Amino acid sequence: LIQAEGKQLSSSEVQDLVDITSNRLNEFGLTDLRVVPVSDLSGNSFMLIEIARATPRDLEDLISKQGKFEAKIGNDTIFFGGEGQGIASVSRSGQDSGVFSCDQSSSGQYFCNFRFTVFLTEVAAKRQAEITAQLGTNISNPGYLDKPLDLYLDDKLVDSLQISEGLKGSVTTQISISGSGTGETRDDAVRTAEREMKQLQTVLITGSLPFKLEIVKLDT
């Protein structure tokens, strides 16, 4: 049982919340589910989710986070997460998506790197070209521009991608996003990396939830 944090939702706002949450859970691969708006006797609005084959952690990570995704160069926003917000499509399989390398640190912990390709709309690609045209060369890192493409999830920096000097002012509709997962064993690290990648892909596809949420009740 979910409610908006510090906000009383109207019936139309609850329906928006239900639609985005349903899309997000379906994109994550959870299909045996029911998502409906409900209200109590005082008129307070909630969202009820009933779901099979999901752990409480899955639900908390996917539902209670707003999932606001934003890509910036400096202070300029290039695109947001969500269809129609600058993203044309997100690769989720094949050579363009997956966990590609795993290593063990000196402390014995494993970390695995993932990457996947995101295809931008023409508008977002032109926006990126306009911003990069104004950038200079990175003196300490030749071959790249002096500002990276920073990726934020819920206002926290999750990745910073160096932009090749050859892309300055260039309209490119394809970028590669990377990240990592850690674990005590290699298998744990692979699973963590896959989960992190899948959550990021899901947010990019479905966009951000319109409100910050809190779980009122969670029964298993």
Side-chain angles (χ1 to χ4, degrees), residues 7-74:
K7 178 178 173 66
Q8 175 60 33
L9 301 182
S10 67
S11 56
S12 61
E13 288 174 328
V14 172
Q15 192 56 55
D16 288 342
L17 181 58
V18 167
D19 291 342
I20 291 176
T21 301
S22 296
N23 288 338
R24 182 175 288 189
L25 294 172
N26 281 314
E27 286 291 343
F28 195 71
L30 303 173
T31 55
D32 189 2
L33 58 93
R34 175 173 173 255
V35 185
V36 294
V38 295
S39 59
D40 61 16
L41 294 176
S42 301
N44 297 310
S45 299
F46 302 89
M47 175 173 65
L48 177 66
I49 301 174
E50 296 175 343
I51 191 164
R53 295 187 298 277
T55 67
R57 179 174 177 177
D58 288 335
L59 291 176
E60 288 185 89
D61 286 347
L62 278 170
I63 296 166
S64 62
K65 292 181 180 178
Q66 190 174 8
K68 173 189 172 186
F69 183 89
E70 197 172 10
K72 291 183 172 184
I73 297 177

Side-chain angles (χ1 to χ4, degrees), residues 71-83:
K72 291 183 172 184
I73 297 177
N75 293 322
D76 296 300
T77 299
I78 307 302
F79 61 88
F80 296 93
E83 188 177 340

Side-chain angles (χ1 to χ4, degrees), residues 66-126:
Q66 190 174 8
K68 173 189 172 186
F69 183 89
E70 197 172 10
K72 291 183 172 184
I73 297 177
N75 293 322
D76 296 300
T77 299
I78 307 302
F79 61 88
F80 296 93
E83 188 177 340
Q85 302 297 314
I87 295 176
S89 64
V90 177
S91 295
R92 306 194 74 174
S93 61
Q95 294 183 337
D96 290 332
S97 173
V99 177
F100 291 94
S101 65
C102 291
D103 294 292
Q104 188 175 19
S105 67
S106 57
S107 64
Q109 192 173 47
Y110 287 84
F111 60 95
C112 295
N113 299 309
F114 67 79
R115 70 172 184 270
F116 61 92
T117 300
V118 173
F119 296 91
L120 305 180
T121 63
E122 196 70 22
V123 171
K126 287 180 179 178

